[in-house]
Amino acid sequence: MPGGRGTKVRLWRWRSSPLRRRDDKLEAWIVLVMWAVIAVGGTIAGLVTAHSAHEALAQQRSERHAVRAVVLTDVPRSPSSREGGTYRTLAKVRWTTPDGVTRTGRTLVDDTGLRRGSTITVWQDTHGALTPEPADPAEAAAEAVFFGVAAALALSGLALGAGALARWRLDQRRLDQWSREWDLIGPQWSQKTG
């Protein structure tokens, strides 16, 4: 049904009319630009952000390495971990850096009642400093998708907000114009004839 009622309803902002004001044309362009920014800009922002996050997480995986460390203090089992929960607590550990230097520091370990001298796995960066475990590829992919969607939604929200603000300002301008016109025409209608 080309050119039918459905098409006319969707494109009402673009049809010509002697009653159509300059502000109506401007509003039509604002709506068009707003939806274009949401569709195209949101997609681009989402893809670029997801790609950047994926690359950053891949770099973390390549720079961080697992090493064995020795626990230097007893790690008592907490009452809450006995109830089935897994909790982490700080413990002092000793490990060897890539250049052969032995270091000590504190890191989070599962509070499963580790004893002094126990061996655990810790993660270090290229300089030998302790660092959190990097995300595995599946977690990294999920995080990249999350960041991409968040970026797309943020840009879309910003575009919707800016469009709504611009349309609100146009409505205020139209109301002011109608008020001024009514002040001119209204008194003529209230006069009695004949």
Side-chain angles (χ1 to χ4, degrees), residues 163-175:
L165 179 64
R167 293 177 70 199
W168 178 78
R169 288 292 302 141
L170 283 174
D171 286 342
Q172 293 301 312
R173 198 161 82 179
R174 284 188 283 238
L175 287 173

Side-chain angles (χ1 to χ4, degrees), residues 54-125:
H54 182 72
E55 291 295 316
L57 293 168
Q59 183 178 357
Q60 278 184 358
R61 281 194 309 278
S62 69
E63 292 175 349
R64 296 179 183 181
H65 306 285
V67 294
R68 303 301 289 168
V70 177
V71 177
L72 299 178
T73 57
D74 288 342
V75 180
R77 186 176 200 142
S78 69
S80 52
S81 68
R82 290 187 194 120
E83 297 168 1
T86 56
Y87 295 92
R88 297 174 64 93
T89 187
L90 280 174
K92 191 171 185 178
V93 295
R94 181 179 60 235
W95 75 99
T96 304
T97 64
D99 56 359
V101 176
T102 301
R103 288 191 180 174
T104 60
R106 297 179 85 69
T107 189
L108 287 173
V109 298
D110 292 335
D111 63 351
T112 56
L114 290 172
R115 296 282 175 219
R116 181 179 181 191
S118 300
T119 306
I120 61 168
T121 301
V122 295
W123 290 84
Q124 64 180 344
D125 60 16

